Amino acid sequence: MDFRLEKEITDLVGLVSSKFDPAYWRKISSEQKFPEEYWEALAESGLFGMIIEKKFGGMGRSILDLTLAVEETAEHFAGLGSYLYLSGSLVSQMFEVCGSEEQKKSFLPEIAKGKLKISIALTEESSGLDASSIETTAKRISKEEFSISGRKIMVANYDRADYIILFARTSPKESSSSSSSQSKTYGISMFLISVKEQGASFKAKKLEKLGMDFVSSYSLDFEDIRVTSDHLLGEENEAWKGAARVFAMDRILTGASLVGTGKLALSTASEYAKKRKVFGRQIGSNQGIQFPLADAYAKIVGAEILVHKAASLFEAGRDFLTEASSCLLLAAEAAGIATDRALQTFGGHGYYKENDVERYWRDVRVHRVHPISEELLLATIAERSLGMPRSY
Ligand SMILES: Cc1cc2nc3c(=O)[nH]c(=O)nc-3n(C[C@H](O)[C@H](O)[C@H](O)COP(=O)(O)OP(=O)(O)OC[C@H]3O[C@@H](n4cnc5c(N)ncnc54)[C@H](O)[C@@H]3O)c2cc1C
């Protein structure tokens, strides 16, 4: 399997990437700023609309195309900054899968143009991986109106968001009719909240974190936010099914982003290994330097093939959950190894920000716990492929 991007897309990705070198990403990260200029360049290129249907202003490309574009963007210095495609694609898919025709018509063209930034607010103090335990509640106060109260944490890019997709319970967990795990998520609904209109109701607090410095995370407290029922995204009480499919697809794109970032770390390290002389010889001529980098490269390529397989299965409309879970698991592990070896190759210099590898190392760590932890990926694979008892 050797998938390649069409020239038209490669040129677009190359054009955007060429304007943003490692120094740009270093600066953005050290200042903990959102990469506004990068977002604008992506918006201008139309790449935000890659997988949005043509009738809604997108390019109508496949997930596989997007996967390849994300990988290439990550490798061309953006690293996990390629996540900006992902967040755009993730929310566009929420609309594609769950939205009404009217919502698709009004939101998708704006998302494709990069005019709308939309954050996702699912996680809470008491519920991370177990989404069924969310406590944020949307109470119907009339036939048409809901009142939403609760607390969300780790909401990425809230400070840049025009809208939030807010998950809330419209029926309590206890109301689930059977004990099957699928039904635990009955009662979860998604609401589209305009930050412009309702932002004043959110008490937002910025959270400090280890890496991904170009993304800010917030906790949000809110009480009695009033919205009408046309703000529901997907069916009342039944939003999880559609959302879960989108989150599963996100595993493939996150895997692609990790593969590209792993390759970026390895090319940065091998360039350095060719130049750096210690004891009168290039450090790259030592097998002690070469082999771990080569081993990491082989692991990255293995993960890459699985990313492509998962994307192809998704595209063919086949069951893709095991492959999507496996590709994220392996890509996160491989990117962790690749960035660690890259840092080691730089010696003490690797610990300093000017050489970028410490940033790649910090950044990729996130994807062993987010959007889903490696334990839950393993539990999914154990259940689905090995027939083991479900543990989640
Ligand atoms: C940088 C970053 C950005 C994020 N952005 C967002 C965002 O924009 N919006 C949003 O809603 N959320 C966001 N999150 C939250 C993220 O998705 C959650 O942190 C993640 O789902 C894990 O949930 P948790 O931290 O509550 O872990 P928990 O659910 O508390 O799990 C804790 C540990 O227990 C393990 N565990 C639990 N059950 C089992 C089991 N059955 N078997 C084995 N191990 C188990 C887990 O694997 C994990 O290691 C973000 C997180 C990060 C780090």
Side-chain angles (χ1 to χ4, degrees), residues 16 33 71 96 137 155 161 259 291 322 352 355 371 378:
V16 173
K33 271 173 54 185
E71 261 179 61
E96 294 263 11
T137 306
V155 179
V259 164
F291 283 7
T322 299
Y352 285 82
N355 288 308
L378 287 167

Side-chain angles (χ1 to χ4, degrees), residues 83 90 118-131 152-158 165 167 209-212 215-218 247 363 365-379 390-392:
Y83 187 79
L90 183 66
I118 304 180
S119 292
I120 292 190
L122 167 63
T123 305
E124 299 179 6
E125 208 72 68
S126 59
S127 81
L129 295 164
D130 179 8
K152 295 288 176 184
I153 57 170
M154 305 190 215
V155 179
N157 287 329
Y158 168 72
I165 296 177
F167 287 74
K209 53 184 169 40
L210 174 70
M212 300 274 282
V215 172
S216 314
S217 292
Y218 286 83
F247 288 138
D363 285 356
R365 185 62 178 84
V366 71
H367 289 313
R368 286 178 58 201
V369 288
H370 163 74
I372 178 169
S373 71
E374 59 192 10
E375 291 82 7
L376 261 280
L377 291 172
L378 287 167
R390 189 178 172 110
S391 64
Y392 56 98

Side-chain angles (χ1 to χ4, degrees), residues 27-47:
K27 186 166 186 291
I28 285 290
S29 296
S30 80
E31 292 172 1
Q32 300 201 348
K33 271 173 54 185
F34 182 86
E36 214 64 72
E37 306 78 8
Y38 181 65
W39 179 281
E40 284 310 319
L42 283 175
E44 240 174 73
S45 71
L47 286 166

Side-chain angles (χ1 to χ4, degrees), residues 322 326 329 377-390:
T322 299
S326 308
L329 181 78
L377 291 172
L378 287 167
T380 307
I381 298 164
E383 183 202 3
R384 293 175 59 89
S385 300
L386 302 174
M388 311 278 282
R390 189 178 172 110

Side-chain angles (χ1 to χ4, degrees), residues 70-261:
V70 167
E71 261 179 61
E72 196 153 318
T73 309
E75 201 177 338
H76 284 95
F77 312 127
L80 293 191
S82 52
Y83 187 79
L84 287 179
Y85 275 137
L86 307 191
S87 48
S89 306
L90 183 66
V91 296
S92 75
Q93 287 303 294
M94 285 291 187
F95 284 91
E96 294 263 11
V97 174
C98 309
S100 66
E101 215 40 37
E102 220 163 280
Q103 286 170 332
K104 288 182 194 177
K105 268 190 217 148
S106 68
F107 282 86
L108 286 173
E110 296 302 294
I111 295 173
K113 283 188 233 152
K115 290 243 154 61
L116 280 185
K117 298 188 179 89
I118 304 180
S119 292
I120 292 190
L122 167 63
T123 305
E124 299 179 6
E125 208 72 68
S126 59
S127 81
L129 295 164
D130 179 8
S132 70
S133 297
I134 57 169
E135 288 172 357
T136 292
T137 306
K139 276 195 193 127
R140 236 182 219 288
I141 50 171
S142 70
K143 196 163 170 272
E144 267 312 299
E145 210 179 12
F146 289 91
S147 160
I148 314 178
S149 300
R151 178 162 202 266
K152 295 288 176 184
I153 57 170
M154 305 190 215
V155 179
N157 287 329
Y158 168 72
D159 54 338
R160 316 299 308 155
D162 301 293
Y163 282 86
I164 301 176
I165 296 177
L166 183 75
F167 287 74
R169 276 219 164 259
T170 35
S171 296
K173 193 172 176 181
E174 308 78 63
S175 71
S176 305
S177 53
S178 82
S179 60
S180 87
S181 54
Q182 182 65 31
S183 69
K184 282 194 297 190
T185 52
Y186 175 83
I188 295 179
S189 301
M190 287 191 284
F191 290 87
L192 266 172
I193 309 288
S194 157
V195 176
K196 200 168 161 198
E197 286 165 23
Q198 308 274 16
S201 315
F202 288 110
K203 214 187 301 156
K205 188 170 159 255
K206 191 172 172 186
L207 307 171
E208 298 300 323
K209 53 184 169 40
L210 174 70
M212 300 274 282
D213 292 325
F214 48 84
V215 172
S216 314
S217 292
Y218 286 83
S219 65
L220 302 176
D221 285 274
F222 43 94
E223 218 183 310
D224 195 20
I225 292 183
R226 301 285 175 104
V227 288
T228 45
S229 49
D230 55 346
H231 287 67
L232 276 165
L233 179 60
E235 263 180 70
E236 184 177 346
N237 291 322
E238 299 274 16
W240 188 254
K241 258 186 229 156
R245 180 173 165 79
V246 179
F247 288 138
M249 183 211 81
D250 183 49
R251 293 177 196 174
I252 306 173
L253 297 171
T254 305
S257 186
L258 286 161
V259 164
T261 308

